[in-house]
Amino acid sequence: MTNTSEFMKQNKGRVLSGMRPTGRLHLGNFMGALANWVKLQHEYECYFFIADYHALTTDYANTENLRRNTEEVALDWLGAGLDPERCVLFLQSAVPQHADLHLRFSMITPVSWLERVPTYKEQQENLSEKDLSTYGFLGYPLLQAADILLYTPKFVPVGQDQVVHVELTREIARRFNQFYKLGEREVLPEPQVLLTPAPKLPGTDGRKMSKSYGNTIELTDSEATVRQKLKTMVTDPARIRRTDAGDPDRCPVGDLHKVFSTPERMQAVNEGCRSAGIGCIECKGWAADALVQILGPIQQRRASFTPAQAMEVLRAGSERARRRAEATMQDVDTAMRMPKLDAAVSEVAR
Ligand code: TRP
Ligand code: SF4
């Protein structure tokens, strides 16, 4: 990391973001986060991590897939083009400072701040089959605040759904800085949201692509699988017979074309659909072509890593992340005037 471009990007500030280890990623994860991260790694000093502690907040009772899911996400990251030479890729639980800073924050945060976070009640209702009346689940956004502030980033790239968590992070930083100071310097500067534009990406059933709906196209889906999934994808409901004209603006397949197809192909879809000049089968074949083109290189790159290599990338990244996190915790300890034992130890050794 000594060449000029690596040096230049240090000055633009740090970027931090994370993802829960949900298992194999899908096109929605790619378009909503990963593709953006791949771009950012060329411009900023980037830290990206797998939030395995966060997985525990909802799935503490089912941890049997945690390891494999973490491996799959790491492989998908490498496949998508995140490059360990250009950014720090790490595992949350391998950097104990996340838990430490979370604990410090838990001391200064009024419970009402956490109960007010809209995702708290929403998720409890959405995941009613799980018991989410736990201390850890209430603290979800506080752990996220620790994840972020440990790296004193300038920017946090997230989708709209995470903006409230970054807002809370800023409030926590402000509160911490009011209580604890290091001269003129702010120990935990407030980061800014870098909102990731998310194109409308429907799943095979026409609803938003989401793992919980079971309507996804995964980054690892083979060409045959992609074509099969497209075949059964819902279309403009008004286009019942081949001879009916349709409207790509009312069709989930049309939405896929808008995201992934060339302007020329898009024009052919628009004209062909509205005049009943093409059939849905042909149109879906074109959409599948576009997806296969995107996925091919991702899958090739992914296949060039073994799971063990992907975990080694996380191990090495976590070492780098720990150094960065340790520097912040030193400031935190000093500002909080925590007792120090290092001096006492060296006294005894003398
Ligand atoms: N809560 C985020 C999500 O569900 C994941 C996450 C955890 C995160 N810690 C973070 C994102 C810190 C950005 C920064 O997507
Ligand atoms: Fe949808 Fe294409 Fe069929 Fe039109 S032709 S309804 S855009 S699948």
Side-chain angles (χ1 to χ4, degrees):
M1 298 262 278
T2 49
N3 62 52
T4 340
S5 73
E6 289 302 311
F7 175 75
M8 293 287 285
K9 75 182 190 184
Q10 311 262 328
N11 301 332
K12 291 189 70 180
R14 256 187 306 279
V15 157
L16 174 124
S17 197
M19 214 182 258
R20 277 176 300 161
T22 49
R24 296 186 169 201
L25 300 178
H26 54 73
L27 272 174
N29 303 127
F30 180 69
M31 295 308 292
L34 208 41
N36 188 43
W37 293 6
V38 170
K39 259 191 246 147
L40 291 170
Q41 70 179 341
H42 297 285
E43 298 162 36
Y44 296 93
E45 182 193 349
C46 290
Y47 286 75
F48 300 121
F49 73 98
I50 297 179
D52 56 337
Y53 280 152
H54 275 102
L56 292 179
T57 64
T58 50
D59 292 321
Y60 58 85
N62 300 93
T63 55
E64 66 277 4
N65 296 326
L66 199 50
R67 242 182 231 182
R68 188 155 31 89
N69 288 350
T70 298
E71 252 170 38
E72 298 285 5
V73 169
L75 283 165
D76 278 335
W77 281 9
L78 295 167
L82 286 180
D83 177 354
E85 298 285 313
R86 293 189 178 277
C87 58
V88 180
L89 305 175
F90 70 98
L91 180 65
Q92 185 183 33
S93 66
V95 183
Q97 287 83 359
H98 288 248
D100 191 354
L101 190 57
H102 174 242
L103 180 137
R104 310 304 175 98
F105 288 166
S106 75
M107 301 300 168
I108 66 169
T109 306
V111 173
S112 61
W113 286 21
L114 298 174
E115 288 170 335
R116 262 204 309 268
V117 174
T119 47
Y120 180 57
K121 291 232 160 60
E122 269 168 35
Q123 288 281 78
Q124 277 189 337
E125 280 160 26
N126 292 345
L127 305 173
S128 56
E129 74 282 3
K130 295 174 185 162
D131 181 357
L132 296 183
S133 62
T134 57
Y135 177 49
F137 185 67
L138 179 65
Y140 185 112
L142 209 53
L143 180 57
Q144 185 161 349
D147 297 337
I148 295 169
L149 295 172
L150 256 188
Y151 300 89
T152 58
K154 196 179 251 174
F155 297 111
V156 185
V158 287
Q160 186 60 48
D161 63 315
Q162 295 296 316
V163 170
V164 287
H165 291 157
V166 182
E167 284 303 324
L168 179 77
T169 300
R170 291 162 57 90
E171 287 175 62
I172 302 286
R174 239 173 284 151
R175 190 166 166 90
F176 183 96
N177 293 331
Q178 270 166 17
F179 286 130
Y180 313 114
K181 298 188 191 304
L182 263 191
E184 291 303 291
R185 188 161 66 89
E186 287 210 315
V187 181
L188 303 177
E190 284 176 50
Q192 287 169 44
V193 168
L194 197 64
L195 191 65
T196 311
K200 185 174 172 196
L201 199 76
T204 48
D205 61 358
R207 293 186 290 176
K208 179 182 152 72
M209 190 181 289
S210 163
K211 185 164 177 166
S212 53
Y213 294 151
N215 65 359
T216 60
I217 294 164
E218 294 179 5
L219 298 183
T220 40
D221 280 345
S222 67
E223 173 162 359
T225 304
V226 170
R227 293 194 185 279
Q228 186 52 42
K229 283 184 176 175
L230 258 291
K231 262 186 203 141
T232 57
M233 185 152 175
V234 300
T235 57
D236 176 0
R239 195 169 185 206
I240 297 160
R241 281 171 298 261
R242 169 68 179 80
T243 48
D244 297 335
D247 182 354
D249 291 336
R250 294 169 187 273
C251 174
V253 179
D255 288 333
L256 285 187
H257 277 296
K258 281 175 201 144
V259 178
F260 297 109
S261 289
T262 60
E264 297 76 44
R265 187 41 68 78
M266 192 67 237
Q267 196 185 343
V269 169
N270 269 317
E271 289 171 5
C273 179
R274 292 177 205 281
S275 65
I278 57 166
C280 290
I281 295 173
E282 186 176 7
C283 179
K284 287 169 154 189
W286 291 349
D289 293 344
L291 296 186
V292 166
Q293 278 233 325
I294 300 265
L295 296 179
I298 294 177
Q299 292 173 1
Q300 250 179 14
R301 211 174 308 116
R302 193 190 203 273
S304 72
F305 295 92
T306 64
Q309 285 172 325
M311 294 308 271
E312 169 55 24
V313 164
L314 292 183
R315 193 203 56 76
S318 299
E319 215 167 272
R320 291 173 66 190
R322 270 199 304 273
R323 282 201 289 276
R324 183 65 250 161
E326 179 53 29
T328 303
M329 285 315 290
Q330 297 245 350
D331 285 353
V332 164
D333 281 342
T334 307
M336 289 181 80
R337 300 165 182 267
M338 297 300 283
K340 278 263 169 269
L341 294 180
D342 307 6
V345 169
S346 56
E347 284 288 310
V348 171
R350 240 186 266 156

